[in-house]
Amino acid sequence: MEAALKKLMVSSIVCIALACAPIAASANQVALPSKTANWLEVLNFYRASSGLSPVIEDPLMTDAAQKHADYLAKTDKKLFVNEFANLHIENPKSPYFDPTGATLGAGDIAWTTTYSQRPVDQLMSAPFHAIGLLHETFTKVGFGTAPVDVGGYFPGHQVTTLATVAGTSNDPRTKDIFFPGANSTISINDFHTESPDPRESCGADFQKYNGLPIFVSLLVAPSLQTSAFLTTPSGKVLSSSRDICVVTEHSLATSDHLYGASARLIISDEHLVLVIPRDPLKVGKYGVVIKQKNKADLKWKFTFADTFVKVENKLTVIYPHSNKVVTVGEAVKIKPLNLDSGATSRITGTATCMGKWHGEELWITSKAPGTCFVAISGKASLDTAAFKKNFTFKFTTK
């Protein structure tokens, strides 16, 4: 994933005094979206939680976003080379190339394994992307999503494109933006993935910082000396570099040759201060304090409520459709419908059964008649619950 590259003009409010009173962020508490909420409702929940106006869906932007999602889902991965390794640029050699897909459809890209509210949630846990969804001047959005074909980029995943650039103006900003919003309740608590990885600035063990990135987007650049304190629901105050990592435009480090320049532009244009906890958030209320030399402290609170329900992973037999009898030489095809963390299989029986994964489908064949017992299981992951299921098939000769 890569956040959209759009420079925005900003207005400035500077605290001149050497000692300023703390500034407390404020916002109205917003109810968590329902389990059946659509992507736009989830997006506007996050915006409202940060004190921002809702965005509306633009049909032309949605059409373009869908074209770009189709390009990413159906284009042979061999065509994602050279400048086209950047997923925001479309290769004209692809039969799914469309000039509006990478222009009017430009914005944030998420790769998930279930079609639910996870694409927006995932983007909100990725700060270089989340800030694009929390722009004060962001008013219109487009949405596209498609399952990735076998042979494509990340087969077995769902790719979602949120078109944001065309719906964001260059009008001056008027306020600092906090995430999670002040007094808000959220249901995400950890870092999933992002390119470039914002945690690279956290040291040699940066991959151990797995908590939800908390951030503020300031009207002016943060101080060179910026620190943070995070109070947990148990009352413990996290402040050391072992417990939380603070990243600003002055300390960002990235080795990502493809998207690193984008991260540097975003963090400096948006004057982001990232606070990344080492551990995922626990249920309860958190307090955040950001301190800058010769500036007022920034203070706000939010709550994490573990309300996200993991998707049950259903397995279906694609072939045979009507019974469990298969002719020797044919292939049984079993597909987990919400495959997320991967699946393992164990095959036994009197038949000479063999299994091989083709994308997200398990194909089972036999060279001789007999009974085949198949056990498929997968561990719980971010999106799906753990699963285990057994199948029995009888292979016969014609």
Side-chain angles (χ1 to χ4, degrees):
M1 296 186 292
E2 181 200 11
L5 300 181
K6 188 174 181 68
K7 289 188 176 181
L8 301 180
M9 297 169 59
V10 296
S11 57
S12 299
I13 300 176
V14 181
C15 181
I16 301 175
L18 293 180
C20 303
I23 299 175
S26 62
N28 295 324
Q29 190 167 2
V30 182
L32 282 165
S34 69
K35 295 177 183 178
T36 59
N38 63 33
W39 65 271
L40 187 58
E41 292 170 325
V42 175
L43 172 57
N44 281 326
F45 155 75
Y46 283 114
R47 288 185 59 80
S49 296
S50 290
L52 300 166
S53 300
V55 295
I56 61 172
E57 182 179 10
D58 182 280
L60 293 178
M61 292 173 66
T62 283
D63 180 69
Q66 186 60 56
K67 288 176 179 175
H68 193 54
D70 289 339
Y71 165 85
L72 293 170
K74 301 178 183 298
T75 298
D76 192 312
K77 63 182 179 182
K78 295 178 181 178
L79 294 179
F80 292 97
V81 294
N82 301 323
E83 68 268 36
F84 305 114
N86 185 323
L87 300 181
H88 295 273
I89 303 174
E90 294 194 6
N91 191 333
K93 292 182 180 180
S94 169
Y96 304 99
F97 168 81
D98 188 284
T100 63
T103 52
L104 188 60
D108 286 358
I109 301 170
W111 303 86
T112 58
T113 50
T114 56
Y115 180 71
S116 62
Q117 62 188 61
R118 291 307 304 175
V120 175
D121 288 332
Q122 182 178 342
L123 290 169
M124 291 306 303
S125 70
F128 296 138
H129 293 70
I131 187 57
L133 304 180
L134 295 182
H135 276 310
E136 191 177 356
T137 62
F138 176 34
T139 58
K140 297 186 298 181
V141 64
F143 178 89
T145 190
V148 181
D149 288 351
V150 174
Y153 202 97
F154 286 151
H157 287 70
Q158 186 88 14
V159 59
T160 298
T161 298
L162 284 181
T164 59
V165 174
T168 305
S169 75
N170 284 326
D171 294 339
R173 286 172 49 189
T174 65
K175 59 185 177 181
D176 298 332
I177 306 298
F178 297 82
F179 176 78
N183 304 316
S184 69
T185 298
I186 58 170
S187 58
I188 55 176
N189 70 330
D190 60 359
F191 176 81
H192 193 257
T193 184
E194 184 169 30
S195 295
D197 193 326
R199 305 172 301 167
E200 243 190 297
S201 309
C202 301
D205 63 344
F206 72 89
Q207 293 179 332
K208 294 183 178 179
Y209 290 84
N210 295 310
L212 178 72
I214 300 160
F215 65 82
V216 58
S217 175
L218 301 170
L219 290 174
V220 295
S223 169
L224 283 170
Q225 298 180 22
T226 299
S227 59
F229 297 84
L230 182 64
T231 303
T232 69
S234 67
K236 182 179 180 180
V237 179
L238 308 179
S239 60
S240 71
S241 58
R242 184 194 176 283
D243 296 321
I244 57 174
C245 171
V246 179
V247 185
T248 72
E249 59 200 81
H250 309 300
S251 61
L252 177 68
T254 177
S255 61
D256 193 318
H257 69 281
L258 193 60
Y259 301 122
S262 300
R264 294 186 187 95
L265 183 63
I266 291 166
I267 199 169
S268 60
D269 277 5
E270 306 303 331
H271 301 312
L272 290 177
V273 177
L274 310 181
V275 180
I276 308 174
R278 179 175 286 263
D279 299 319
L281 304 182
K282 299 182 183 301
V283 172
K285 182 171 288 187
Y286 282 80
V288 187
V289 179
I290 293 178
K291 291 182 173 290
Q292 303 178 74
K293 186 177 181 179
N294 298 335
K295 295 184 180 182
D297 294 348
L298 298 171
K299 304 175 66 175
W300 77 101
K301 295 179 179 180
F302 67 89
T303 300
F304 167 63
D306 190 8
T307 62
F308 182 76
V309 178
K310 293 187 176 184
V311 177
E312 180 182 356
N313 202 318
K314 298 180 180 180
L315 288 83
T316 183
V317 179
I318 299 174
Y319 181 87
H321 298 289
S322 58
N323 57 58
K324 305 293 182 174
V325 179
V326 190
T327 302
V328 170
E330 294 183 316
V332 172
K333 299 179 181 180
I334 303 175
K335 181 178 181 179
L337 296 184
N338 294 310
L339 186 62
D340 186 16
S341 62
T344 59
S345 58
R346 183 172 181 268
I347 304 171
T348 59
T350 60
T352 56
C353 300
M354 296 170 288
K356 184 176 182 181
W357 286 92
H358 293 258
E360 58 181 2
E361 295 179 5
L362 176 63
W363 291 14
I364 303 161
T365 58
S366 178
K367 294 181 179 180
T371 302
C372 184
F373 302 101
V374 182
I376 302 178
S377 61
K379 296 180 180 179
S381 68
L382 183 69
D383 292 315
T384 58
F387 63 92
K388 184 175 182 179
K389 191 169 183 179
N390 299 324
F391 298 90
T392 301
F393 302 95
K394 184 178 180 181
F395 283 87
T396 66
T397 55
K398 293 182 179 181

